[in-house]
Amino acid sequence: MLAARLKVPEGSVTPFHVVTAGSCLVTSGALPPIHIETGDVIVFPRGDQHVMASDPELVPVPIQEIYSQPSKEQIAVVKYGGSGPPARFICGFLHSDQRFDPLLKSLPAVLCVRSRDDTLTLETLDGTGRRVQPITHQQEKEWWQASLRYLISETATPGPGHRAVLARLAESLFLELLQWQLRYVAQGHGGGWLAGLYDA
């Protein structure tokens, strides 16, 4: 749906959301709801349609009714909702000129990085269940948290060249996610195309 709205090929868009304040529930297809809160980053590698809500009983409002004119050229500020506790997000997407189905299909439907105090975990969710992988390398944790803070500050005070900075930051964060997922698969968790990379 997002690819069609942006007029780019289907399968070439990977949406993500950074929670900067509050919390919400995210559902996608038949997967169980996932709760995200401040500091979390949730990514949909294959661009799967998803719903973000404060209450799963609420009737979803299609994004095109809230944000009618998506743009690849500028950052928009969108406000929507009722009188409940506010939740704030930075929403974006990665666009690839080249579709690489083996890679995207081998990734879980949902990737979520959770940052809590001094811990960082990668949570994955797909049809086979939910898995949690702790990120134990201190330098990786520090780099992720510093990069995320920089991305948030760059969206809050845009200036010359900020679009290029945001694009590179988003790409770097996604590549770090891929590295963590590759490491997890290399340890014997999961199979598919990613696991094949480690077969001599």
Side-chain angles (χ1 to χ4, degrees):
M1 205 166 68
L2 179 59
R5 295 184 72 210
L6 293 166
K7 298 178 175 58
V8 296
E10 184 181 346
S12 67
V13 175
T14 296
F16 65 86
H17 308 284
V18 179
V19 189
T20 61
S23 65
C24 78
L25 284 172
V26 181
T27 55
S28 180
L31 297 176
I34 184 168
H35 180 262
I36 57 173
E37 58 187 75
T38 305
D40 291 346
V41 177
I42 190 165
V43 181
F44 298 86
R46 297 186 290 268
D48 293 346
Q49 188 170 330
H50 52 281
V51 175
M52 301 171 69
S54 58
D55 185 332
E57 301 301 316
L58 292 173
V59 176
V61 177
I63 189 65
Q64 58 264 33
E65 293 182 21
I66 301 168
Y67 181 33
S68 60
Q69 297 295 322
S71 171
K72 293 185 284 184
E73 308 304 321
Q74 61 185 356
I75 296 174
V77 176
V78 178
K79 294 184 180 182
Y80 180 81
S83 58
R88 293 185 178 88
F89 309 92
I90 294 171
C91 304
F93 63 90
L94 296 163
H95 172 244
S96 173
D97 293 329
Q98 302 292 325
R99 290 181 60 187
F100 190 44
D101 285 347
L103 174 60
L104 294 179
K105 286 180 180 176
S106 66
L107 292 173
V110 179
L111 298 165
C112 183
V113 180
R114 299 187 185 277
S115 183
R116 302 287 183 275
D117 299 321
D118 193 39
T119 64
L120 195 68
T121 57
L122 172 61
E123 187 173 324
T124 61
L125 188 65
D126 58 23
T128 63
R130 185 185 313 253
R131 287 167 295 285
V132 177
Q133 171 192 357
I135 307 303
T136 56
H137 294 82
Q138 188 62 30
Q139 288 180 325
E140 291 180 355
K141 291 192 294 185
E142 291 170 358
W143 179 88
W144 178 272
Q145 290 163 340
S147 297
L148 201 56
R149 283 194 302 269
Y150 188 39
L151 182 139
I152 292 167
S153 68
E154 190 69 17
T155 59
T157 55
H162 77 280
R163 282 185 54 240
V165 171
L166 288 171
R168 297 296 86 77
L169 275 171
E171 288 172 5
S172 296
L173 288 164
F174 184 65
L175 287 172
E176 189 70 8
L177 271 177
L178 288 180
Q179 181 176 316
W180 291 338
Q181 186 63 18
L182 278 166
R183 185 186 303 152
Y184 189 60
V185 170
Q187 293 167 356
H189 308 285
W193 187 85
L194 286 178
L197 291 176
Y198 288 90
D199 188 318

